[in-house]
Amino acid sequence: MSEKMSMTSKIMIWMVAGLMVGTLINNFAADNAWVQTYLVMGLFHVVGAIFISLLKMLVVPLVTFSLICGVCGIGDISKLGRVGGKAFALFMLTTALAISLAITIASLFAPGEGFELAAASTGTFSAPVAPPLSQVFIDLVPSNPVAAYADGNMLQIIFFTILFAICILMIGEKGQPIIDLSERLNMVMMEVVNVVMHVAPIGVFALMAKTFSLQGMSMIVPMLGYFAVLVSVLILHATGTLMILLKLFARVSPIQFLRKMRTAQIFAFSTSSSNATIPVTLQCVEKRIGVDNSTASFVVPFGATINMDGTAIMQGVATVFIANVYGIDLGLSGYLTVVAMSVLASIGTAGVPGVGLIMLAMVFNQVGLPVEGIALIIGVDRLLDMVRTAVNITGDAAITTIVARSENSIDMDTFNDPDAGHAKDVKLPMHS
Ligand code: ASP
């Protein structure tokens, strides 16, 4: 095993250690004030929060410079349109497949039938107001790009950066220094990602330890049917549907793909945020899988925002579950509305923790299911968010690979090399 190989394994070991420490605390030290104050809400919380901020800190500059390089690298606006069009169509297709699979399997196993509503969670959930679809389109264009960058509004950032990069190309030779500078800045940001990757084991440990200290496994028991069906469909989609599409359209080995995506999946799992995981997804897709920057820099952040297969699956299973609990028959047209709604809802909502529940509220409002039913599934949602975020970014990367293959912008030698692109050792410059 090479030195570099050990980075992914190291993160994985620390992740499992965090899970175990958290579970032990939840079982044996839930009432210990010292442990709760100084470890869970002290050390774990602080280290975990710093780690998430470190990751988020990378997203906006990395996406910007990488996208400028990507667009200028393509150098041809019609190709850019084609890549965007293919990616968009595939994102919608996989989301629709994901939620259809979820509804079908959930209907077969019927979780929620005979569920004791009175004995169930008494939490509350108030529905946020969903923005109308027209607003989603209007919001694509930032009225103030600086505000878009400051807020980290990914779709607006993508829109502005692409337009900016196209205009760099349009001014011809004079634009070359800007392209060169962006390339250098992109290299710097990639190096920052490398540095952050080296503290990842500790960050991942802290996030896992905190989450599992607070979220005991016992809350899963009354919700076991819902939990088991949802996790099974998530795994089936990530290792089945997506891999079939990858094999059919990209003609590459799904096993190799999944192996290379492991680091990004662990990051998504422990942060519950597709957005915060963008730097790692980008690195896995470019350096490990071999997709050219011109495709990856555009499709990965685009996917992190509009493509959420895992979240769509949660919506499908949750809809069937709540409909069963309340004894409501949605019928075929109701379920078709759910499919259409969740595909549309995924476009306008960003990949951040917990956003799935907000999308679910929009779907419930549309088909007339009681939104307060969402309170039932809130208890287990934090854990499920972790799994579905890992599925979300797997979908983003699979589609990036398919699009890249169709555009001939993937290096198959890199793809086939199991050791390609492992995290580099960090050599800090020192004064001698
Ligand atoms: N946490 C998910 C993501 O970032 C979204 C969600 O399902 O809540 O992709």
Side-chain angles (χ1 to χ4, degrees), residues 272-275 308 311 350-357 385 388-389 392:
S272 292
S273 169
S274 301
N275 265 3
M308 295 183 203
T311 307
V352 292
V355 79
L357 288 183
D385 195 1
R388 65 177 186 253
T389 308
N392 286 347

